[in-house]
């Protein structure tokens, strides 16, 4: 494939999709007029594109039923998400309050106070590790530089 | 954006998102999961910015990113940089010459399903969802010129595979 053909080849998809500038379009027009190979290639790509498009009816669901189901599930999930936020928030407040009261209370023997302290610390560590995992998962949500 | 308005917009673009997910993942259950995730994300963040493209492009980008997530998790396909793959010199034969219309459709369908995701996604966006290069660029987060070259590579790869059945 000579250099001119290679340069024109790159433009053929854009030519088919009518996405070229006028200048590039004219360049392709001029070239394929005199080049049997590139005009055959253009026909090939055109036929291929048409046969892919013909699969569309098969591949793109026309009925909305599937979509409705998805939407309903998603709505249910956001609702339950809100429920969880409320429950977790309330538990936090209550546990915090209980801890505060406990700290101020006179408890004997002191070992009980140590144990409860350890319990709170353990819960805090667990919570932090869950948060960290969540944050990490969120970071990989960005795909700016991902090539597949 | 208000919730009711958001729901209406979602109803319009949902089926396209579904088609993208199904064709990218080739698995109905995964596709439904992805769609649910995407809808939940949209309802939660509501950060659509009309100055940066259409709602459709925004939504399809979310769907696409979720799909990539799943593809990567399942490791169904190795990660390759399609841009760096050198294209061999093309020898052309018209596809009609090698098969009847129906045979050709079956071959195209099968070969399309096994193309690398980067080729597949751009073909789906262009041929099935009928999007222009600018909108595809917004979904893939690449310039329009890159859309053109990627699409051409994808078509060339598909053409090569289809031709190999001749
Ligand atoms: Zn030529």
């Amino acid at each position: 494939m000579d250099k001119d053909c290679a340069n024109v080849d790159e433009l053929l998809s854009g030519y088919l999709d009518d996405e070229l500038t006028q200048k590039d379009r004219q360049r392709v027009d001029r070239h394929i007029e005199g080049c049997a190979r590139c005009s055959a290639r253009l026909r090939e790509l055109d036929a291929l594109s048409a046969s892919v498009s013909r699969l569309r009816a098969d591949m793109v669901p026309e009925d909305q039923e599937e979509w409705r189901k998805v939407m309903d599930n998603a709505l249910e999930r956001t609702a339950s998400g809100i429920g969880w936020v409320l429950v977790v928030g309330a538990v936090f407040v209550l546990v915090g309050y209980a801890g505060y009261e406990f700290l101020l209370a006179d408890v004997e023997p002191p070992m009980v106070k140590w144990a409860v302290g350890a319990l709170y610390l353990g819960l805090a560590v667990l919570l932090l590790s869950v948060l960290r995992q969540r944050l990490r998962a969120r970071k990989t949500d960005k795909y700016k530089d991902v090539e597949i | 954006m208000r919730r009711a308005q958001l729901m209406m917009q979602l109803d319009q673009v949902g089926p396209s998102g579904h088609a993208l997910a199904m064709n990218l993942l080739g698995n109905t259950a995964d596709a439904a999961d992805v769609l649910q995730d995407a809808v939940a994300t949209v309802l939660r963040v509501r950060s659509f910015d009309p100055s940066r493209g259409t709602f459709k492009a925004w939504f399809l980008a979310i769907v696409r990113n979720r799909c990539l997530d799943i593809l990567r998790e399942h490791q169904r396909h190795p990660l390759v940089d399609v841009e760096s793959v050198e294209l061999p010199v093309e020898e052309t034969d018209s596809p009609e010459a090698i098969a009847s219309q129906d045979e050709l459709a079956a071959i195209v369908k099968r070969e399309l399903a096994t193309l690398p995701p980067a080729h597949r996604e751009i073909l789906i966006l262009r041929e099935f969802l009928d999007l222009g290069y600018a909108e595809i660029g917004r979904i893939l987060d690449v310039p329009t010129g890159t859309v053109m070259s990627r699409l051409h590579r994808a078509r060339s790869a598909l053409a090569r595979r289809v031709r190999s059945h001749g």
Side-chain angles (χ1 to χ4, degrees), chain B:
Chain B
M1 205 187 289
R2 302 231 335 273
R3 190 182 171 90
Q5 202 184 345
L6 216 49
M7 304 274 281
M8 251 169 54
Q9 298 251 43
L10 277 172
D11 259 344
Q12 276 165 20
V13 300
S16 290
H18 201 201
L20 176 63
M22 279 208 301
N23 285 295
L24 262 180
L25 299 173
N27 176 326
T28 327
D30 281 350
D33 278 351
V34 162
L35 258 272
Q36 274 175 43
D37 269 358
V39 169
T41 304
V42 166
L43 292 176
R44 199 176 59 238
V45 303
R46 304 189 189 191
S47 65
F48 169 59
D49 174 5
S51 70
R52 293 181 56 203
T54 60
F55 182 82
K56 189 176 190 175
W58 184 62
F59 179 71
L60 291 180
I62 295 173
V63 169
R64 180 225 178 206
N65 285 348
R66 283 258 159 271
C67 288
L68 294 195
D69 227 357
I70 291 193
L71 286 175
R72 199 159 342 137
E73 266 168 34
H74 295 204
Q75 297 259 304
R76 281 188 211 139
H77 299 275
L79 301 175
V80 285
D81 182 354
V82 283
E83 231 89 315
S84 68
V85 178
E86 200 59 41
L87 287 181
V89 174
E90 301 288 346
E91 292 302 331
T92 50
D93 268 319
S94 141
E96 287 100 322
I98 63 162
S100 77
Q101 207 69 269
D102 282 352
E103 277 174 89
L104 180 65
I107 292 169
V108 168
K109 189 171 178 176
R110 195 173 58 237
E111 292 302 335
L112 183 66
T114 55
L115 279 178
H119 286 334
R120 207 152 15 113
E121 66 176 1
I122 204 160
L123 286 168
I124 295 163
L125 293 171
R126 174 66 211 144
E127 312 282 15
F128 291 166
L129 303 185
D130 214 16
L131 301 176
Y133 287 10
E135 199 153 33
I136 294 174
R138 270 182 224 113
I139 294 166
L140 305 183
D141 201 16
V142 296
T144 311
T146 309
V147 171
M148 182 151 78
S149 59
R150 271 195 201 174
L151 185 58
H152 190 59
R153 276 165 191 279
R155 281 182 176 147
S156 301
L158 185 59
R160 200 158 52 242
R161 286 179 176 217
V162 170
R163 218 183 297 130
S164 74
H165 288 271

Side-chain angles (χ1 to χ4, degrees), chain A residues 5 31 35 38:
Chain A
C5 286
H31 180 88
C35 178
C38 287

Side-chain angles (χ1 to χ4, degrees), chain A:
Chain A
M1 185 151 47
D2 70 41
K3 189 130 186 297
D4 205 20
C5 286
N7 289 337
V8 164
D9 191 76
E10 279 170 12
L11 297 174
L12 291 180
S13 274
Y15 183 88
L16 285 175
D17 296 326
D18 206 9
E19 295 266 2
L20 292 186
T21 60
Q22 202 188 354
K23 195 170 144 248
D24 280 341
R25 167 163 279 281
Q26 283 167 354
R27 181 168 160 212
V28 173
D29 277 330
R30 266 198 313 276
H31 180 88
I32 53 179
E33 222 169 88
C35 178
R37 173 157 51 182
C38 287
S39 69
R41 168 98 166 129
L42 183 65
R43 280 199 303 278
E44 178 194 40
L45 290 174
D46 195 13
L48 182 76
S49 172
S51 56
V52 176
S53 293
R54 269 196 294 276
L55 296 174
R56 188 190 308 190
D58 246 8
M59 314 295 260
V60 181
E62 282 291 321
D63 72 304
Q64 303 266 320
E65 202 178 310
E66 277 298 307
W67 166 246
R68 283 257 66 93
K69 258 189 267 171
V70 164
M71 192 77 162
D72 289 345
N73 283 337
L75 291 178
E76 228 163 78
R77 239 172 45 181
T78 25
S80 73
I82 293 168
W84 275 112
V85 168
L86 286 176
V87 167
V88 170
V91 166
F92 258 105
V93 171
L94 291 177
V95 168
Y97 181 66
Y100 175 73
E101 285 289 302
F102 186 77
L103 214 66
L104 296 183
D106 272 331
V107 188
E108 290 295 337
M111 228 179 67
V112 175
K113 227 166 194 176
W114 283 109
V116 172
L119 191 67
Y120 269 79
L121 191 68
L123 283 176
V125 169
L126 286 179
L127 190 77
L128 276 177
S129 74
V130 169
L131 272 179
R132 254 185 56 189
Q133 271 174 14
R134 274 292 162 103
L135 278 178
R136 203 172 301 155
R138 190 164 268 205
K139 243 184 216 161
T140 56
D141 247 5
K142 309 278 175 216
Y143 298 95
K144 288 255 180 251
D145 302 306
V146 173
E147 277 303 336
I148 49 166

